[in-house]
Each structure stands twice: as C-alpha cells, then as structure tokens.
Amino acid sequence: MRPMSENPQDPQDPKRPQEPQEPQGPQRPQEPENVGKPGRAAEAGEPEESPEAVYGGTADHDVRVAVTPAGAPGTEPSGRRRLASALWPPRVTRAQLVVALLLFVLGLGLAIQVSSTSDNSALRGARQEDLVRILDELDDRTQRLEDEKARLEKQRSELETSSDQAEEARKQTQEKEQQLGILAGTVAAEGPGITLTVGDPTGAVESDMLLDAIQELRAAGAEAIQVNGVRVVADSYFTGSGDDMRIDGTKVAAPYVFKVIGKPEDLEPALNIPGGVVQTLEKEQATATVERAPKIVVDALRPAKRPDYAQSSSP
C-alpha cells in the first residue's frame, strides 16, 4: 500500500509541487471606522477633530490620527456653556423665597415707623425763624443751668473750707432768701433789661395777648416783670379786655408798660420774631415799642403769703 501522503491530490503533501499564485493588486488602506461619523466627543458637546490628519502605520495598513489645530474656530470650551446653563434660568428654592418675604415685611415695617415718626414731629411745620429762636432759648437755658451748677459748687466749696461754717451758712441763706424774694415778688429788684410799651387806641387788645407777651419774656429768660405797677409772678393771671383789663384782680389801663429785667439781647428778639408778640399786636391796630436799658427798676411788691398746708421738709 502506498502511504496517504503520497496521494497526488493531497494538498498537504510536501512533495507535491505548488501552483504559482496570481499576483494581487495593491491593497487599499482601510479607513478607521469613525471617519465621517461623529464620535463620542461630538456627542458630548466637545469640539470634534479637524479634518486634517497625520497618516502612519505599517506597510500593509495605514493609520490616520486626527489632529486638531490650536485656535481653530468653533472650539469654545464647554465650561462656559455649563456656567451659562447654571445661571440662567435662575433656580429659586423655597428657603430663598421665605427669606425674601421676611426681608420685605421687615423693610415695610421700618418704612411705616419712620413715616409715622416724622409725621408726628412737633417741629415738622415750624418756620426757620422759630427753630432758630428755640435753639437760642435752649442754649440760654443750658448756660443758666451751668452757671447755677458752678455757683452751687462754689458754695459747697466755701462751706467745706470756711473756718466759721455757721456764719458762712447764714450768709448763703440770706442770699438765697433775696433770690427767692425776687422770684416771689416780695423784694424789689434792679438790673439790665427792656421796656415794652403797648398802646391800644381802638381797645382791641385782649388779656390773652398780654399773657402771650409774659410767656415769651419768661421763655427768653426774664427774671422780674412789672406791668403798670403790678408785679407779675408765677401765679399771676390776666382777665378782661379794653377798658376792663385786670391783672390779679387789679384794673390796669392802656398804655401797658412792661418793665422786664433780664438779658436785653435775648428779650428783644423774642418779642420781634416773625409772627411773635409785636406783629400780633400790630395786626390788631395796636402799637408795640421795645427799648433796651442798662438799668431797669422793678419795685412793685406783693405781700408774702404763708402757705396753709405746705411745710418745709428740711430739719
């Protein structure tokens, strides 16, 4: 038997002559599968590769690698898009809405409070001249209080350092008695001041007009006042009008002469302010004349009254 390897039909027989193969043409390089198709980078919004490519590889197969040139148009970073999508449209949470509502209510309450406070101000409709006069009066009162404080401190120092404290206390008691007597109208007084003369040819002056003049003078720092021989003190009152004008029950007639002791630089402007005492009297066809004087004598006295119920609480 012949061995199976000797079969001329066996293609695996090494002794069988090989048939020559026909030469094949040049093979076309295979293109990558993603050529002409959007890759994953394009689907994710990232810039696609540029058509320009670099070829390389082996002799049988060519490999093309896409290279994106720097600065090519249409390659905007995706971070800007993500930032823009995060900012617009705005996303508002429930907590932010609650905070905004609370801030709005708080601001509205503050606005209403400020508005009501400004509307209820007593000086809202005051004129500039009145505001200036009020400020001057406050300054004067402050100065008087400072002077009184300094005087009391001086008295205390004298009492502490005096060798004869009893005698010093007696002197201070007499001085205090004189001061209280001037205020009560039981002691005559003199000093710088003004004279206000009110003429009433038509009898149009009312008692409240004279009382307004007294109040303005007291507010300006008047320390002693006398009207037609009647001493005006804290409990004085005005009644009647025209020919029946009375002060503390005593009848007085025009012209009404006010003798006032105080600082003339404060007393005269208080009467001549716009809309003040002088202008009010002139509107009623009355006349008002204010004169300064270096010395005014107030010698009208009132009887000293002993209180019925009040007693001193000092030992």
Side-chain angles (χ1 to χ4, degrees):
M1 295 181 63
R2 298 176 63 180
M4 293 182 64
S5 60
E6 296 178 358
N7 190 357
Q9 302 296 330
D10 190 358
Q12 302 295 332
D13 190 359
K15 297 182 179 181
R16 183 181 177 180
Q18 300 291 330
E19 296 179 358
Q21 297 181 358
E22 297 180 358
Q24 299 179 359
Q27 296 182 358
R28 184 180 180 180
Q30 296 181 359
E31 296 180 359
E33 294 179 359
N34 59 348
V35 174
K37 297 181 181 180
R40 295 181 179 178
E43 294 177 359
E46 298 180 356
E48 296 181 350
E49 298 178 349
S50 173
E52 299 180 4
V54 177
Y55 293 90
T58 64
D60 295 336
H61 299 283
D62 293 338
V63 179
R64 186 174 64 180
V65 179
V67 178
T68 303
T75 61
E76 182 180 357
S78 60
R80 297 182 181 178
R81 296 180 181 177
R82 290 196 296 269
L83 179 60
S85 62
L87 294 178
W88 188 265
R91 298 177 178 85
V92 182
T93 63
R94 181 178 299 178
Q96 293 175 344
L97 289 176
V98 173
V99 172
L101 180 60
L102 292 177
L103 291 176
F104 173 76
V105 173
L106 178 60
L108 182 61
L110 290 176
I112 294 175
Q113 183 178 2
V114 172
S115 177
S116 61
T117 303
S118 60
D119 292 339
N120 296 331
S121 178
L123 301 178
R124 182 178 179 84
R127 296 170 301 177
Q128 183 177 1
E129 295 82 359
D130 296 338
L131 294 176
V132 172
R133 179 178 60 84
I134 293 173
L135 289 176
D136 292 340
E137 291 177 358
L138 290 176
D139 293 339
D140 295 337
R141 292 177 183 178
T142 302
Q143 186 61 39
R144 288 196 296 270
L145 291 175
E146 292 291 339
D147 296 341
E148 181 69 14
K149 177 183 176 182
R151 186 182 62 80
L152 293 176
E153 290 179 350
K154 181 180 178 180
Q155 291 180 357
R156 183 186 64 180
S157 176
E158 290 176 354
L159 287 174
E160 292 176 352
T161 58
S162 177
S163 57
D164 189 357
Q165 295 184 358
E167 182 65 22
E168 186 65 28
R170 187 183 63 81
K171 291 181 180 179
Q172 292 185 6
T173 302
Q174 291 179 351
E175 293 178 359
K176 193 67 175 180
E177 181 182 1
Q178 293 291 329
Q179 295 174 2
L180 295 177
I182 293 174
L183 296 177
T186 58
V187 177
E190 63 179 26
I194 64 170
T195 300
L196 169 65
T197 304
V198 178
D200 185 21
T202 61
V205 176
E206 302 287 340
S207 58
D208 57 345
M209 299 178 185
L210 300 182
L211 183 60
D212 290 340
I214 296 295
Q215 297 295 343
E216 289 290 345
L217 292 170
R218 284 176 175 170
E223 298 176 352
I225 303 174
Q226 175 179 315
V227 181
N228 286 20
V230 179
R231 188 70 170 267
V232 178
V233 293
D235 59 349
S236 295
Y237 60 93
F238 291 73
T239 58
S241 61
D243 296 335
D244 192 25
M245 183 74 68
R246 295 178 180 272
I247 303 176
D248 295 337
T250 302
K251 186 175 181 179
V252 294
Y256 308 106
V257 180
F258 291 69
K259 293 183 178 181
V260 185
I261 296 177
K263 188 176 181 180
E265 291 79 6
D266 296 337
L267 298 175
E268 182 179 4
L271 298 175
N272 289 319
I273 61 174
V277 175
V278 174
Q279 286 191 0
T280 302
L281 292 173
E282 290 177 351
K283 288 181 180 180
E284 299 296 334
Q285 305 301 322
T287 60
T289 305
V290 181
E291 296 180 357
R292 299 185 184 184
K295 182 179 179 180
I296 297 293
V297 177
V298 176
D299 52 4
L301 303 180
R302 295 175 63 90
K305 295 182 179 180
R306 180 180 298 275
D308 297 329
Y309 305 100
Q311 298 180 359
S312 176
S313 59
S314 59

